[in-house]
């Protein structure tokens, strides 16, 4: 019992901007004993250089180490993975200490895998997705994610193997056709993208099929396929970012300068909207 009482507790501290965007996250280790309802004292200030100083102390334990953090320009700060790294460590700690129920292990391994891939730890993410499959998570989506991890590390042969193992996953089949195109295996890629189009006649698949036809030296057929993708009645603002990217490619390949200009204008607009706050709106809390 005494040993249990001495276990340290971790306390997550976040700095939030725009009412929802976590710009900093730290884990503060509190030495035992830790009591529910214990008062913590928080002091913060921000100077003219937009440097935030934050300190947290325990009012009932003057000997404990305070948490002291400094960060530059918290309102305009863009998180470069700190939140995912802390989140990943917390989840790994929960598994290590047996706090995750057996039926939840697959879901937690998958979540850690997503965090690891966002941090660029693709080999670790691939291993975690494998563990998630072993604990009952749906294999098709995880095969696709594992394929993307191998793609990240430039191992396209391993990526293709994973995508092939998920024939019922639409994203995996698109990625399989794309990987085959990228490795010059156009004759293998074409039936894959044809099956994909039979299930969902989407713009990215049409453009990718045109790329594959061009790779087979069927230039006229490819040109018609690019035009077919561009002739959809969908306006640029109604496309998602992925579709917009492929429509731009179709416009470039078909030489449609007018359509290309409107698509790139929409792309620039989205880029500006994602980085500029509305005038007069308070963007920090």
């Amino acid at each position: 019992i005494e040993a249990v009482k001495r276990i340290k507790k971790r306390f997550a501290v976040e700095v939030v901007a725009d009412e929802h965007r976590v710009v900093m996250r730290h884990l503060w280790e509190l030495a035992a004993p830790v009591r529910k309802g214990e008062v913590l004292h928080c002091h913060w200030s921000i100077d003219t250089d937009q440097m935030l100083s934050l300190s947290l102390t325990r009012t009932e334990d003057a000997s404990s180490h305070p948490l002291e953090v400094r960060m530059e320009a918290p309102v305009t700060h863009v998180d470069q993975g700190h939140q995912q790294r802390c989140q990943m460590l917390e989840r790994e700690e929960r598994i290590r200490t047996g706090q995750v129920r057996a039926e939840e292990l697959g879901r937690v391994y998958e979540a850690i895998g997503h965090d690891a891939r966002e941090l660029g730890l693709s080999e670790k993410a691939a291993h975690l997705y494998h563990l998630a499959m072993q604990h009952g998570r749906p294999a098709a989506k995880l095969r696709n994610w594992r394929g993307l991890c191998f793609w990240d590390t430039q191992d396209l042969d391993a990526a293709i193997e994973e995508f092939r193992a998920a024939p019922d996953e639409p994203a995996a089949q698109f990625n399989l056709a794309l990987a085959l195109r990228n490795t010059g295996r156009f004759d293998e890629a074409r039936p894959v993208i044809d099956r994909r189009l039979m299930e969902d006649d989407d713009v990215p698949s049409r453009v990718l099929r045109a790329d594959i036809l061009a790779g087979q030296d069927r230039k006229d057929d490819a040109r018609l396929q690019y035009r077919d993708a561009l002739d959809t009645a969908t306006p640029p603002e109604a496309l998602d970012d992925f579709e917009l990217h492929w429509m731009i490619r179709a416009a470039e390949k078909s030489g449609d300068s007018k359509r290309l200009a409107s698509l790139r204008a929409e792309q620039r607009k989205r880029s500006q909207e994602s980085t500029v706050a509305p005038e007069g709106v308070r963007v920090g809390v």
Side-chain angles (χ1 to χ4, degrees):
I1 295 174
E2 187 64 27
V4 172
K5 287 182 179 178
R6 294 181 184 278
I7 293 176
K8 293 181 177 181
K9 301 293 184 181
R10 285 181 173 177
F11 188 80
V13 180
E14 295 180 346
V15 176
V16 181
D18 306 330
E19 300 184 8
H20 68 278
R21 182 168 56 90
V22 178
V23 296
M24 183 192 73
R25 182 179 174 89
H26 276 272
L27 298 180
W28 184 23
E29 279 204 347
L30 305 178
V34 178
R35 290 178 291 278
K36 182 178 180 180
E38 179 180 348
V39 177
L40 304 176
H41 179 74
C42 174
H43 174 79
W44 67 273
S45 63
I46 188 163
D47 62 22
T48 54
D49 294 324
Q50 298 298 298
M51 179 66 73
L52 172 72
S53 298
L54 169 69
S55 68
L56 277 167
T57 55
R58 300 173 65 179
T59 59
E60 298 179 20
D61 187 355
S63 63
S64 68
H65 294 291
L67 173 70
E68 296 182 336
V69 180
R70 285 169 60 83
M71 71 174 298
E72 187 175 357
V75 171
T76 57
H77 177 75
V78 177
D79 190 301
Q80 297 295 336
H82 187 75
Q83 182 183 2
Q84 282 82 10
R85 188 171 289 105
C86 287
Q87 190 169 257
M88 183 174 69
L89 291 172
E90 288 174 11
R91 285 169 170 156
E92 289 177 329
E93 179 73 5
R94 287 181 60 220
I95 292 175
R96 190 185 68 79
T97 56
Q99 298 178 51
V100 180
R101 299 193 307 271
E103 61 269 23
E104 288 292 310
L105 273 172
R107 183 186 61 78
V108 176
Y109 277 129
E110 181 179 345
I112 301 173
H114 292 330
D115 287 335
R117 185 164 183 260
E118 283 193 39
L119 292 168
L121 306 173
S122 298
E123 292 180 358
K124 178 174 182 174
H127 175 64
L128 287 160
Y129 292 141
H130 179 68
L131 292 176
M133 284 191 289
Q134 288 185 324
H135 286 84
R137 295 297 288 169
K141 288 187 180 297
L142 290 168
R143 288 283 191 182
N144 182 54
W145 284 109
R146 276 174 57 82
L148 292 173
C149 290
F150 292 127
W151 194 314
D152 293 340
T153 59
Q154 304 301 309
D155 189 349
L156 283 185
D157 288 337
I160 287 170
E161 185 178 338
E162 291 295 329
F163 297 144
R164 283 195 195 280
D168 298 325
E169 173 60 30
Q173 291 310 292
F174 180 89
N175 290 332
L176 173 59
L178 182 59
L180 291 169
R181 183 207 73 176
N182 287 1
T183 52
R185 294 151 71 174
F186 303 109
D187 291 342
E188 291 180 63
R190 187 176 161 199
V192 175
I193 201 62
D194 284 347
R195 286 195 301 271
R196 174 80 185 92
L197 280 164
M198 288 178 64
E199 296 171 4
D200 185 5
D201 187 12
D202 62 315
V203 167
S205 295
R206 291 188 198 183
V207 180
L208 179 54
R209 187 176 189 274
D211 284 353
I212 293 167
L213 289 169
Q216 292 179 307
D217 204 28
R218 297 176 56 179
K219 307 298 183 184
D220 291 338
D221 291 337
R223 193 176 302 110
L224 288 172
Q225 186 79 70
Y226 287 128
R227 286 294 343 157
D228 180 56
L230 287 171
D231 287 343
T232 59
T234 309
E237 59 271 17
L239 299 168
D240 63 32
D241 290 345
F242 187 66
E243 292 169 331
L244 184 62
H245 164 81
W246 284 95
M247 284 286 271
I248 288 173
R249 180 171 180 81
E252 289 174 338
K253 291 294 185 178
S254 63
D256 189 334
S257 56
K258 183 177 179 180
R259 186 70 64 87
L260 181 61
S262 66
L263 290 166
R264 283 184 169 161
E266 175 63 23
Q267 192 176 55
R268 286 193 298 271
K269 177 185 173 185
R270 294 185 191 188
S271 177
Q272 292 168 354
E273 287 175 349
S274 67
T275 57
V276 178
E279 185 176 353
V281 175
R282 181 176 178 180
V283 294
V285 294

